Amino acid sequence: MTEIPMFLYLSETLRKQRSALEWTLRKNAGRVFTNDLVFELMLDLMGIRHRFCTPALRIASPEYALKPEEARTLWGALPLERAGAE
């Protein structure tokens, strides 16, 4: 539950139209990302402007800054580092 691979495929059209999005996602690849943040990612991928989440928690944002020690699972109840040790 604490480590699930994620694969994103961007169409050639989307990559051409929104090259900054592709660059940002590539830059943030390999960083900690939790399934709690998927909703915001989907909105960003669809180009829907929103304010549901701070840019520091949106992996499609150049300001993404979720630190491993701050990432949580089980609806925010368990730190990822502890979860991975069990």
Side-chain angles (χ1 to χ4, degrees):
M1 182 172 179
T2 60
E3 189 170 338
I4 303 167
M6 181 173 71
F7 176 82
L8 289 176
Y9 174 82
L10 304 180
S11 70
E12 188 65 33
T13 302
L14 182 63
R15 290 170 57 205
K16 286 179 182 176
Q17 290 175 349
R18 298 179 56 205
S19 59
L21 173 67
E22 179 187 11
W23 180 88
T24 300
L25 290 169
R26 287 184 184 274
K27 176 182 159 270
N28 290 332
R31 298 190 64 194
V32 171
F33 179 76
T34 69
N35 61 349
D36 294 350
L37 304 174
V38 170
F39 177 73
E40 290 84 4
L41 172 60
M42 293 297 109
L43 293 175
D44 287 335
L45 289 173
M46 291 184 279
I48 298 172
R49 297 188 187 275
H50 61 89
R51 296 182 186 185
F52 298 121
C53 187
T54 63
L57 296 176
R58 291 172 41 205
I59 200 162
S61 168
E63 300 168 45
Y64 185 68
L66 180 61
K67 297 175 185 163
E69 61 272 13
E70 295 173 352
R72 303 183 74 75
T73 189
L74 291 175
W75 305 280
L78 188 65
L80 285 187
E81 290 187 8
R82 182 174 160 221
E86 294 179 357

